[in-house]
Amino acid sequence: MKEYLAHHYLFIKSVHIIFVISWMAALFYQPRLYVYHAAATPGSELYATLCIMEKRLTRIIMTPAMLLTFVSGILLLMVPGILVSPMGWIHAKLSLVMILAGYHGILIRWMKLFQSEKNKHSQRFYRLINEIAPLLMIFVVFLVVMKPF
């Protein structure tokens, strides 16, 4: 298995990058939809349309991309020679990825609150929340590229 992974390392890495980009795009867009949703009148056509858009984004792109990011990332970690000293950066990266996964879960919870017309947050709140994923992504990219520790 390890020889197979080593032979296909660049393919796995490419797949990982593709799904990371897809997941990040969805994490950037979902809270933006919430900004508009918070301003929409419950029961209106716009409100219903936003519910459909959020649900489809979550089910068709966001969650599958996250899962495939995790699967491809785990495969990359299994490639011989990938985990070498010093490895502090990978622990930091994985911690940030787990925070992103928690953020993903919170976005789903807020989506369900919108669907049941029980949203309690303002447009301003969602505008601020929209900055979390980009900031975490920046830190992850620097950790992966620079491997500072």
Coordinates of all heavy atoms in Angstrom, one line a residue, residues 32-98:
R32 N -21.7 34.2 3.2 CA -22.2 35.3 2.4 C -23.7 35.2 2.0 O -24.4 36.1 2.0 CB -21.3 35.3 1.1 CG -21.5 36.6 0.3 CD -20.6 37.6 1.0 NE -21.2 38.9 0.7 CZ -21.2 39.9 1.6 NH1 -20.8 39.8 2.8 NH2 -21.8 41.1 1.3
L33 N -24.1 33.9 1.8 CA -25.5 33.7 1.6 C -26.3 34.1 2.8 O -27.4 34.6 2.7 CB -25.8 32.3 1.2 CG -25.3 31.8 -0.2 CD1 -25.5 30.3 -0.4 CD2 -26.1 32.6 -1.3
Y34 N -25.7 33.8 4.0 CA -26.4 34.1 5.3 C -26.6 35.6 5.4 O -27.5 36.0 6.1 CB -25.6 33.5 6.4 CG -25.6 32.0 6.5 CD1 -24.7 31.3 7.3 CD2 -26.4 31.2 5.7 CE1 -24.6 30.0 7.3 CE2 -26.3 29.8 5.7 CZ -25.4 29.2 6.5 OH -25.4 27.8 6.6
V35 N -25.6 36.4 4.9 CA -25.7 37.9 5.0 C -27.0 38.3 4.3 O -27.8 39.1 4.9 CB -24.5 38.5 4.4 CG1 -24.7 40.0 4.2 CG2 -23.3 38.3 5.2
Y36 N -27.3 37.7 3.1 CA -28.5 38.1 2.4 C -29.7 37.5 3.0 O -30.8 38.1 3.0 CB -28.3 37.6 0.9 CG -27.1 38.2 0.2 CD1 -26.2 37.4 -0.4 CD2 -26.9 39.6 0.2 CE1 -25.1 37.9 -1.0 CE2 -25.8 40.1 -0.4 CZ -24.9 39.3 -1.0 OH -23.8 39.8 -1.7
H37 N -29.5 36.3 3.5 CA -30.7 35.6 4.2 C -31.2 36.3 5.4 O -32.4 36.4 5.6 CB -30.2 34.2 4.5 CG -31.3 33.2 4.4 ND1 -31.1 31.8 4.2 CD2 -32.7 33.3 4.6 CE1 -32.3 31.2 4.2 NE2 -33.2 32.1 4.5
A38 N -30.2 36.9 6.2 CA -30.6 37.6 7.4 C -31.4 38.8 7.1 O -32.2 39.3 7.9 CB -29.4 38.0 8.2
A39 N -31.3 39.4 5.9 CA -32.1 40.5 5.5 C -33.4 40.2 4.8 O -34.3 41.0 4.7 CB -31.2 41.4 4.5
A40 N -33.5 38.9 4.4 CA -34.8 38.5 3.7 C -35.9 38.3 4.7 O -35.7 37.9 5.9 CB -34.5 37.2 2.9
T41 N -37.1 38.5 4.2 CA -38.3 38.3 5.1 C -38.7 36.8 5.1 O -38.8 36.2 4.0 CB -39.5 39.1 4.5 OG1 -39.1 40.5 4.4 CG2 -40.7 39.0 5.4
P42 N -38.8 36.2 6.3 CA -39.2 34.8 6.4 C -40.5 34.6 5.6 O -41.4 35.4 5.7 CB -39.3 34.6 7.9 CG -38.4 35.6 8.5 CD -38.5 36.8 7.6
G43 N -40.6 33.5 4.9 CA -41.7 33.2 4.1 C -41.7 33.8 2.7 O -42.6 33.4 1.9
S44 N -40.8 34.7 2.4 CA -40.8 35.3 1.1 C -40.1 34.4 0.1 O -39.5 33.4 0.5 CB -40.0 36.6 1.1 OG -38.6 36.4 1.4
E45 N -40.3 34.7 -1.2 CA -39.7 33.9 -2.2 C -38.2 33.9 -2.1 O -37.5 32.9 -2.3 CB -40.1 34.4 -3.6 CG -39.7 33.5 -4.8 CD -40.2 34.0 -6.1 OE1 -41.2 34.7 -6.2 OE2 -39.5 33.7 -7.1
L46 N -37.6 35.1 -1.8 CA -36.1 35.2 -1.7 C -35.7 34.3 -0.5 O -34.7 33.6 -0.7 CB -35.7 36.6 -1.4 CG -34.2 36.8 -1.1 CD1 -33.4 36.4 -2.3 CD2 -34.0 38.3 -0.8
Y47 N -36.4 34.3 0.6 CA -36.0 33.5 1.7 C -36.0 32.0 1.4 O -35.0 31.3 1.7 CB -37.0 33.8 2.9 CG -36.5 33.3 4.2 CD1 -35.9 34.2 5.1 CD2 -36.7 32.0 4.6 CE1 -35.5 33.7 6.4 CE2 -36.3 31.5 5.9 CZ -35.7 32.4 6.7 OH -35.3 32.0 8.0
A48 N -37.0 31.6 0.7 CA -37.1 30.2 0.3 C -36.0 29.8 -0.7 O -35.4 28.7 -0.6 CB -38.4 29.9 -0.4
T49 N -35.7 30.7 -1.7 CA -34.6 30.5 -2.6 C -33.3 30.3 -1.9 O -32.5 29.4 -2.3 CB -34.6 31.6 -3.7 OG1 -35.8 31.7 -4.3 CG2 -33.4 31.4 -4.7
L50 N -33.0 31.2 -1.0 CA -31.7 31.1 -0.2 C -31.6 29.8 0.6 O -30.6 29.2 0.7 CB -31.6 32.3 0.7 CG -31.3 33.7 0.0 CD1 -31.5 34.9 0.9 CD2 -29.9 33.7 -0.7
C51 N -32.7 29.4 1.1 CA -32.7 28.1 1.8 C -32.3 26.9 0.9 O -31.5 26.1 1.2 CB -34.1 27.7 2.4 SG -34.5 28.6 3.9
I52 N -32.9 27.0 -0.3 CA -32.5 25.9 -1.3 C -31.0 26.0 -1.7 O -30.3 25.0 -1.8 CB -33.4 26.1 -2.6 CG1 -34.9 25.7 -2.2 CG2 -32.9 25.2 -3.7 CD1 -35.9 26.0 -3.2
M53 N -30.6 27.3 -2.0 CA -29.2 27.5 -2.4 C -28.2 27.0 -1.3 O -27.2 26.3 -1.6 CB -28.9 29.0 -2.7 CG -29.6 29.5 -3.9 SD -29.5 31.3 -4.1 CE -27.7 31.4 -4.4
E54 N -28.5 27.3 -0.1 CA -27.6 26.9 1.1 C -27.6 25.4 1.2 O -26.5 24.8 1.4 CB -28.1 27.6 2.3 CG -27.9 29.1 2.3 CD -28.9 29.8 3.3 OE1 -29.6 29.2 4.0 OE2 -28.8 31.1 3.3
K55 N -28.8 24.8 1.1 CA -28.8 23.4 1.3 C -28.1 22.6 0.2 O -27.3 21.7 0.4 CB -30.3 22.9 1.3 CG -30.5 21.5 1.7 CD -32.0 21.2 1.8 CE -32.2 19.8 2.3 NZ -33.6 19.5 2.5
R56 N -28.2 23.1 -1.1 CA -27.5 22.5 -2.2 C -26.0 22.7 -2.1 O -25.2 21.8 -2.4 CB -28.1 23.0 -3.5 CG -29.4 22.5 -3.8 CD -29.9 23.0 -5.1 NE -31.3 22.5 -5.4 CZ -32.1 22.9 -6.3 NH1 -31.7 23.9 -7.1 NH2 -33.3 22.4 -6.5
L57 N -25.6 23.9 -1.7 CA -24.2 24.2 -1.6 C -23.6 23.2 -0.5 O -22.5 22.7 -0.7 CB -24.0 25.6 -1.1 CG -22.5 26.1 -0.9 CD1 -21.7 25.9 -2.2 CD2 -22.5 27.5 -0.4
T58 N -24.3 23.0 0.6 CA -23.8 22.2 1.6 C -23.7 20.7 1.2 O -22.7 20.0 1.4 CB -24.7 22.3 2.9 OG1 -24.7 23.6 3.3 CG2 -24.2 21.4 4.0
R59 N -24.8 20.2 0.6 CA -24.9 18.8 0.3 C -24.1 18.4 -1.0 O -23.6 17.3 -1.1 CB -26.4 18.4 0.1 CG -27.1 18.3 1.4 CD -28.4 17.7 1.3 NE -29.0 17.6 2.7 CZ -30.2 17.2 2.9 NH1 -31.0 16.8 1.9 NH2 -30.6 17.1 4.1
I60 N -24.0 19.3 -1.9 CA -23.4 18.9 -3.2 C -21.9 19.3 -3.3 O -21.1 18.6 -3.9 CB -24.2 19.6 -4.4 CG1 -25.6 19.0 -4.4 CG2 -23.5 19.4 -5.7 CD1 -26.6 19.7 -5.4
I61 N -21.6 20.4 -2.6 CA -20.2 20.9 -2.7 C -19.5 20.8 -1.3 O -18.4 20.2 -1.2 CB -20.1 22.3 -3.3 CG1 -20.7 22.3 -4.7 CG2 -18.6 22.8 -3.3 CD1 -20.8 23.7 -5.3
M62 N -20.0 21.5 -0.3 CA -19.2 21.8 0.9 C -18.9 20.5 1.7 O -17.7 20.2 2.0 CB -20.0 22.7 1.8 CG -19.2 23.3 2.9 SD -20.0 24.8 3.6 CE -21.2 24.0 4.7
T63 N -19.9 19.7 2.0 CA -19.6 18.4 2.7 C -18.8 17.4 2.0 O -17.8 16.9 2.5 CB -20.9 17.9 3.3 OG1 -21.5 18.9 4.2 CG2 -20.7 16.6 4.1
P64 N -19.2 17.1 0.7 CA -18.4 16.1 -0.1 C -16.9 16.6 -0.2 O -16.0 15.8 -0.1 CB -19.1 16.0 -1.4 CG -20.5 16.4 -1.1 CD -20.4 17.5 -0.1
A65 N -16.7 17.9 -0.5 CA -15.4 18.4 -0.6 C -14.6 18.3 0.7 O -13.4 18.0 0.7 CB -15.4 19.9 -1.1
M66 N -15.2 18.5 1.8 CA -14.5 18.4 3.1 C -14.1 16.9 3.3 O -13.0 16.6 3.7 CB -15.4 18.8 4.3 CG -14.7 18.7 5.6 SD -15.8 18.9 7.0 CE -16.8 17.5 7.0
L67 N -15.1 16.0 3.0 CA -14.8 14.6 3.2 C -13.6 14.1 2.3 O -12.7 13.4 2.7 CB -16.0 13.8 3.0 CG -17.1 14.0 4.1 CD1 -18.4 13.3 3.7 CD2 -16.7 13.6 5.5
L68 N -13.7 14.6 1.1 CA -12.6 14.2 0.1 C -11.3 14.8 0.4 O -10.2 14.3 0.2 CB -13.1 14.4 -1.3 CG -14.2 13.5 -1.7 CD1 -14.8 13.9 -3.0 CD2 -13.7 12.0 -1.9
T69 N -11.3 16.0 1.0 CA -10.1 16.7 1.5 C -9.5 15.8 2.6 O -8.3 15.6 2.6 CB -10.4 18.1 2.0 OG1 -10.9 18.9 1.0 CG2 -9.2 18.7 2.7
F70 N -10.3 15.4 3.5 CA -9.8 14.5 4.6 C -9.3 13.2 4.1 O -8.2 12.8 4.5 CB -10.9 14.3 5.6 CG -11.3 15.4 6.5 CD1 -10.6 16.7 6.4 CD2 -12.3 15.3 7.5 CE1 -11.0 17.7 7.2 CE2 -12.6 16.4 8.3 CZ -11.9 17.6 8.2
V71 N -10.0 12.6 3.2 CA -9.5 11.3 2.7 C -8.2 11.4 2.0 O -7.2 10.7 2.2 CB -10.6 10.6 1.8 CG1 -10.0 9.4 1.0 CG2 -11.8 10.2 2.6
S72 N -8.1 12.4 1.1 CA -6.9 12.6 0.3 C -5.7 13.1 1.3 O -4.6 12.7 1.1 CB -7.1 13.6 -0.8 OG -7.5 14.8 -0.4
G73 N -6.0 13.9 2.3 CA -5.0 14.3 3.2 C -4.5 13.2 4.1 O -3.3 13.1 4.3
I74 N -5.4 12.3 4.5 CA -4.9 11.1 5.2 C -4.0 10.2 4.3 O -3.0 9.7 4.8 CB -6.1 10.3 5.8 CG1 -6.8 11.1 6.9 CG2 -5.7 8.9 6.3 CD1 -8.2 10.6 7.3
L75 N -4.4 10.0 3.1 CA -3.6 9.3 2.2 C -2.2 9.9 2.0 O -1.2 9.2 2.0 CB -4.2 9.1 0.8 CG -5.5 8.2 0.8 CD1 -6.1 8.3 -0.6 CD2 -5.1 6.8 1.1
L76 N -2.1 11.2 1.9 CA -0.9 11.9 1.8 C 0.0 11.7 3.0 O 1.2 11.5 2.9 CB -1.1 13.4 1.6 CG -1.5 13.9 0.3 CD1 -1.9 15.4 0.3 CD2 -0.5 13.6 -0.8
L77 N -0.6 11.7 4.2 CA 0.1 11.4 5.4 C 0.7 10.0 5.5 O 1.7 9.8 6.2 CB -0.7 11.7 6.7 CG -1.1 13.2 6.9 CD1 -2.1 13.3 8.1 CD2 0.2 14.0 7.2
M78 N 0.1 9.1 4.8 CA 0.5 7.7 4.8 C 1.7 7.5 3.8 O 2.3 6.4 3.8 CB -0.6 6.8 4.4 CG -1.7 6.8 5.5 SD -3.2 5.9 5.0 CE -2.6 4.3 4.6
V79 N 2.0 8.4 2.9 CA 3.1 8.2 2.0 C 4.4 8.2 2.7 O 4.7 9.1 3.5 CB 3.1 9.4 0.9 CG1 4.3 9.3 0.0 CG2 1.8 9.3 0.1
P80 N 5.2 7.2 2.5 CA 6.5 7.1 3.2 C 7.4 8.4 2.9 O 7.5 8.9 1.8 CB 7.2 5.9 2.6 CG 6.1 5.1 1.9 CD 5.0 6.1 1.6
G81 N 8.0 8.9 4.0 CA 8.9 10.0 3.9 C 8.2 11.4 4.0 O 8.9 12.4 4.1
I82 N 6.9 11.4 4.1 CA 6.2 12.7 4.2 C 6.3 13.2 5.6 O 6.5 14.4 5.8 CB 4.7 12.5 3.8 CG1 4.6 12.2 2.3 CG2 3.9 13.8 4.1 CD1 5.2 13.2 1.4
L83 N 6.1 12.4 6.6 CA 6.2 12.8 8.0 C 7.6 12.6 8.5 O 8.0 11.6 8.9 CB 5.2 11.9 8.9 CG 3.7 12.2 8.6 CD1 2.9 11.3 9.5 CD2 3.4 13.6 8.9
V84 N 8.4 13.7 8.4 CA 9.8 13.7 8.8 C 10.0 14.9 9.8 O 9.2 15.9 9.7 CB 10.8 13.8 7.7 CG1 10.7 12.5 6.9 CG2 10.5 15.0 6.8
S85 N 11.0 14.9 10.6 CA 11.2 15.9 11.6 C 11.7 17.2 10.9 O 12.4 17.1 9.9 CB 12.2 15.5 12.6 OG 11.7 14.4 13.3
P86 N 11.5 18.4 11.4 CA 10.6 18.7 12.5 C 9.1 18.7 12.0 O 8.9 19.1 10.8 CB 11.0 20.0 13.0 CG 11.6 20.7 11.8 CD 12.2 19.6 10.9
M87 N 8.2 18.3 12.8 CA 6.8 18.1 12.3 C 5.8 19.0 13.1 O 4.6 18.7 13.0 CB 6.4 16.6 12.5 CG 7.1 15.7 11.5 SD 7.0 16.3 9.8 CE 5.2 16.2 9.5
G88 N 6.3 20.0 13.8 CA 5.4 20.8 14.6 C 4.3 21.5 13.7 O 3.2 21.7 14.0
W89 N 4.8 21.9 12.5 CA 3.9 22.6 11.6 C 2.7 21.7 11.2 O 1.6 22.3 11.0 CB 4.6 23.0 10.3 CG 5.0 21.9 9.4 CD1 6.1 21.2 9.4 CD2 4.2 21.3 8.3 NE1 6.1 20.2 8.5 CE2 4.9 20.2 7.8 CE3 2.9 21.6 7.8 CZ2 4.5 19.5 6.7 CZ3 2.5 20.8 6.8 CH2 3.2 19.8 6.2
I90 N 2.8 20.4 11.0 CA 1.7 19.6 10.6 C 0.7 19.5 11.7 O -0.5 19.5 11.5 CB 2.2 18.2 10.2 CG1 1.0 17.4 9.5 CG2 2.6 17.3 11.3 CD1 0.7 17.9 8.1
H91 N 1.1 19.5 13.0 CA 0.2 19.5 14.1 C -0.6 20.8 14.2 O -1.8 20.8 14.4 CB 0.9 19.2 15.4 CG 1.6 17.9 15.4 ND1 1.0 16.7 15.4 CD2 2.9 17.6 15.5 CE1 1.9 15.7 15.4 NE2 3.1 16.3 15.4
A92 N 0.1 21.9 13.9 CA -0.6 23.2 13.9 C -1.6 23.2 12.7 O -2.7 23.7 12.9 CB 0.4 24.3 13.7
K93 N -1.2 22.7 11.5 CA -2.0 22.7 10.4 C -3.3 21.9 10.6 O -4.4 22.3 10.4 CB -1.3 22.2 9.2 CG -2.2 22.0 8.0 CD -1.8 21.0 7.0 CE -2.9 20.7 5.9 NZ -2.6 19.6 5.1
L94 N -3.1 20.7 11.2 CA -4.2 19.8 11.5 C -5.1 20.4 12.5 O -6.4 20.2 12.4 CB -3.7 18.4 11.9 CG -3.0 17.6 10.8 CD1 -2.4 16.3 11.3 CD2 -3.9 17.3 9.6
S95 N -4.6 21.1 13.5 CA -5.5 21.8 14.4 C -6.3 22.9 13.8 O -7.5 23.0 14.0 CB -4.6 22.5 15.5 OG -3.9 21.5 16.3
L96 N -5.7 23.6 12.9 CA -6.5 24.6 12.1 C -7.6 24.0 11.2 O -8.7 24.5 11.1 CB -5.6 25.5 11.3 CG -4.7 26.4 12.1 CD1 -3.7 27.2 11.2 CD2 -5.5 27.4 13.0
V97 N -7.2 22.8 10.6 CA -8.2 22.1 9.8 C -9.4 21.6 10.6 O -10.5 21.7 10.2 CB -7.5 21.0 9.0 CG1 -8.5 20.1 8.3 CG2 -6.5 21.5 8.0
M98 N -9.1 21.2 11.9 CA -10.2 20.7 12.7 C -11.1 21.9 13.1 O -12.3 21.8 13.3 CB -9.6 20.1 14.0 CG -9.0 18.7 13.7 SD -10.2 17.5 13.0 CE -9.6 17.4 11.3

